[in-house]
Amino acid sequence: MIILKGAEVSAKIREQVQEMLEGLGGKMPCLAIVRVGENPDDLSYERGAMKKMASFGLEARSYSFSGDISHEEFKEEFRKINEDPGVSGILLLRPLPKHIQEADIEKLIDPDKDLDGISPVNVAKVFAGDATGFAPCTAEAVVEVLKTNNIPIAGKRAVIVGRSMVVGKPLAMLLMKENATVTVCHTKTSDLAGTCRMGEILVAAAGRAKMLDGSFVGHNAVVIDVGINVDDSGKLWGDVDFESIKDKASMATPVPGGVGAVTTAVLARHLVLAAVRGH
């Protein structure tokens, strides 16, 4: 089995970012990472994103708020970040605490600064196949991994486990745009393992550590694991039981070191693209 590491894909995106930066005449794009509470998954992603921005030579600021901040107070604080001319793009770490109405924030965010595709404007553009909208970074990262490794997408059967608006649904749209035939699975899917085995490309986005083992993987399938699950000791696990698929899959992404590295690189590209558009 070939291990598809994210570093090579990230390096390619870094070259694109450097080229775009040259067109900004010395202006430095700034990313605002907005986090509410201390969710371990959010903290892990934030650390990775801050590290990636620094390695790409980009600026990033972290805006963290207490998990018990009121809806109205958070909305007001978010509005200030949204309207700050010094902020080129925003990454809102989700899900937000239940008492904060996420839909209100999604409507509030400036679509031109919405780097992770949560605004209704960008969601509509992704579903319409309009490339001017920012797609969620993780969904776009999956396509980048496939393309950079010259893995054919057109005409292939792709199975996605997970139907969230963060990965599953937008990724289905991106893969269909590349002419894949897509099946989206979830907890109510009957014979989930059997459906997954039909996928020539299998994407695990369930959010449950080691949920997919070798019984879910068809012979010679390409397995893309987007899961980031943090255990009590702080160790990262994917949604795929990596050891159990080695004799089944032809290629697979590891966790860590796989899609996560590409996701933050896509975020950096979106940031610079937002700055170029607003320049």
Side-chain angles (χ1 to χ4, degrees), residues 22-70:
E22 290 173 9
L24 284 173
K27 179 186 174 184
M28 178 56 65
C30 177
L31 169 67
I33 301 177
V34 182
R35 171 173 50 82
V36 181
E38 303 288 325
N39 182 301
D41 294 354
D42 288 349
L43 289 166
S44 174
Y45 188 21
E46 181 180 312
R47 283 193 297 270
M50 295 287 279
K51 187 176 178 182
K52 182 71 71 175
M53 296 307 131
S55 72
F56 276 37
L58 303 171
E59 184 183 349
R61 301 179 202 156
S62 174
Y63 296 81
S64 60
F65 300 94
S66 169
D68 59 5
I69 188 172
S70 72

Side-chain angles (χ1 to χ4, degrees), residues 89-110:
I90 298 169
L91 171 67
L92 174 66
L93 298 177
R94 298 178 296 158
L96 294 170
K98 287 184 169 57
H99 67 276
I100 296 178
Q101 296 161 38
E102 212 164 279
D104 277 6
I105 310 302
E106 291 167 355
K107 291 171 188 168
L108 182 64
I109 193 169
D110 181 347

Side-chain angles (χ1 to χ4, degrees), residues 17 47 64 76 85 99 107 122 128 133 185 228 252 257-258:
V17 166
R47 283 193 297 270
S64 60
E76 185 55 36
H99 67 276
K107 291 171 188 168
N122 283 327
C185 298
I228 298 179

Side-chain angles (χ1 to χ4, degrees), residues 94 114-120 122-123 126 133-137 165 270:
R94 298 178 296 158
D114 169 32
L115 305 186
D116 207 23
I118 66 171
S119 159
N122 283 327
V123 170
V126 170
F134 288 120
C137 296
M165 286 299 293
H270 284 185

Side-chain angles (χ1 to χ4, degrees), residues 180-193:
T181 299
V182 182
T183 300
V184 179
C185 298
H186 44 80
T187 53
K188 298 289 192 294
T189 300
S190 60
D191 189 17
L192 178 58

Side-chain angles (χ1 to χ4, degrees), residues 91-229:
L91 171 67
L92 174 66
L93 298 177
R94 298 178 296 158
L96 294 170
K98 287 184 169 57
H99 67 276
I100 296 178
Q101 296 161 38
E102 212 164 279
D104 277 6
I105 310 302
E106 291 167 355
K107 291 171 188 168
L108 182 64
I109 193 169
D110 181 347
D112 294 332
K113 293 185 178 183
D114 169 32
L115 305 186
D116 207 23
I118 66 171
S119 159
V121 172
N122 283 327
V123 170
K125 285 184 173 183
V126 170
F127 276 69
D130 183 344
T132 65
F134 288 120
C137 296
T138 304
E140 191 171 315
V142 171
V143 178
E144 286 287 340
V145 169
L146 295 171
K147 285 186 170 181
T148 302
N149 287 284
N150 298 312
I151 296 165
I153 303 174
K156 298 297 181 181
R157 292 187 303 275
V159 175
I160 303 167
V161 183
R163 54 177 167 177
S164 74
M165 286 299 293
V166 179
V167 184
K169 289 176 181 175
L171 177 57
M173 296 300 116
L174 295 180
L175 289 173
M176 280 195 280
K177 189 178 179 184
E178 299 293 333
N179 297 311
T181 299
V182 182
T183 300
V184 179
C185 298
H186 44 80
T187 53
K188 298 289 192 294
T189 300
S190 60
D191 189 17
L192 178 58
T195 304
C196 288
R197 285 196 298 272
M198 293 170 58
E200 295 166 282
I201 298 169
L202 176 61
V203 182
R208 196 179 307 167
K210 296 188 176 184
M211 177 184 166
L212 276 65
D213 60 22
S215 68
F216 288 75
V217 179
H219 185 61
N220 283 336
V222 175
V223 180
I224 309 293
D225 188 353
V226 304
I228 298 179
N229 307 284

